[in-house]
Amino acid sequence: MGNILLVEDDDSFGYILKEYLEINDFTVTWVQNGESGLEAFKQNVYDLCVLDIMMPLKDGFTLAKEIQEHDADVPFIFLTAKALKIDKLKGFRLGCDDYVVKPIDEELFIARVKALVKRTSNSSERSAGNGVYNIGKYCFDPTNQALVLEDKTQRLTTKEAKVLQLLCEKKNQVLDRNKALKVVWGESDFFNRKSMDVFIHKLRKYLEEDATVKITNVHGKGFVLED
């Protein structure tokens, strides 16, 4: 149903919440501190992040900011024992989609999770299924794997089209290399990283007729489609 990152340092509560989410058909990665949470996020693609606020090494607010630097669109829920208005306002200012105070009502929590994952999934499907992207002077149709410049059409392979679509979805933002590898190749290893570099090189060649468009390497992070 959806892939969820759960970052919760309480052993008992984290275990119970993970089990309850999995009973409801979610795939859950559970880690127990903010630093592990950020590493887990870099290694996979998630539909939703559920973040405890009070955690060792890195609190949930800090973790949310760092996650947003990698993916500004991923939804997240804060979990906390703090019910103060000022804390809730801080969470919403950071862009959280929900704020759940412990102890939680499991049924209501699952309903909230399902609603957020469904919203994210529907948004992604609309973009992938019907979206046509403008890239400088080019028009990119991911459904038909076509990159059009005036009267010229460049047909893309499936992987080329998927990589370009991911870049378009994060236009002028960093597309995390590891996340792109997981989506397109299914695994982030040495050979797939080299393969991705080849595809990026090909896409640069396809886009070279418009000098205002470029794909830039961000060392240690990924790539940016600049338009």
Side-chain angles (χ1 to χ4, degrees), residues 90-102:
K90 183 175 181 179
F92 286 117
R93 287 191 190 106
L94 284 171
C96 77
D97 295 84
D98 213 336
Y99 193 107
V100 179
V101 178
K102 304 174 187 176

Side-chain angles (χ1 to χ4, degrees), residues 14-213:
Y15 176 81
I16 292 170
L17 199 56
K18 180 177 184 290
E19 290 289 303
Y20 201 75
L21 286 163
E22 289 177 341
I23 288 170
N24 284 272
D25 299 322
F26 291 101
T27 300
V28 182
T29 299
W30 172 34
V31 296
Q32 294 179 281
N33 64 68
E35 288 188 358
S36 297
L38 184 60
E39 288 306 309
F41 186 82
K42 291 178 181 178
Q43 296 301 318
N44 210 336
V45 178
Y46 294 99
D47 300 293
L48 175 67
C49 298
V50 180
L51 313 177
D52 187 26
I53 291 179
M54 302 299 293
M55 293 188 295
L57 303 181
K58 193 190 302 287
D59 65 73
F61 289 142
T62 302
L63 175 58
K65 289 180 183 177
E66 293 178 350
I67 283 175
Q68 288 177 315
E69 290 175 1
H70 291 276
D71 186 346
D73 299 320
V74 66
F76 58 96
I77 294 175
F78 280 130
L79 288 173
T80 184
K82 302 170 72 175
L84 295 176
K85 180 179 179 181
I86 189 171
D87 294 311
K88 290 184 179 181
L89 288 173
K90 183 175 181 179
F92 286 117
R93 287 191 190 106
L94 284 171
C96 77
D97 295 84
D98 213 336
Y99 193 107
V100 179
V101 178
K102 304 174 187 176
I104 69 171
D105 181 304
E106 288 87 353
E107 290 186 9
L108 286 175
F109 176 71
I110 291 297
R112 287 167 159 171
V113 168
K114 286 181 177 178
L116 280 173
V117 170
K118 182 178 180 181
R119 187 189 75 190
T120 306
S121 175
N122 288 344
S123 175
S124 176
E125 288 170 5
R126 283 195 299 271
S127 176
N130 302 313
V132 175
Y133 299 92
N134 293 316
I135 312 170
K137 298 176 183 177
Y138 295 87
C139 182
F140 170 49
D141 180 354
T143 303
N144 295 308
Q145 297 176 206
L147 184 64
V148 181
L149 177 64
E150 298 173 350
D151 59 344
K152 295 169 55 179
T153 299
Q154 172 68 54
R155 293 292 175 182
L156 307 181
T157 67
T158 299
K159 279 190 170 69
E160 287 171 348
K162 188 59 182 175
V163 172
L164 184 54
Q165 182 181 343
L166 291 173
L167 286 165
C168 287
E169 289 173 353
K170 300 283 290 182
K171 187 187 292 185
N172 296 316
Q173 301 178 55
V174 177
L175 171 64
D176 184 84
R177 176 192 284 270
N178 288 327
K179 291 186 70 173
L181 285 165
K182 290 281 187 179
V183 171
V184 181
W185 279 268
E187 188 175 354
S188 175
D189 61 23
F190 174 80
F191 296 104
N192 287 338
R193 289 196 295 273
K194 290 297 182 183
S195 178
M196 185 174 184
D197 289 338
V198 171
F199 278 82
I200 292 292
H201 176 73
K202 288 182 178 179
L203 291 174
R204 285 181 175 133
K205 295 290 288 183
Y206 298 153
L207 296 167
E208 67 183 2
E209 292 188 43
D210 186 346
T212 67
V213 176

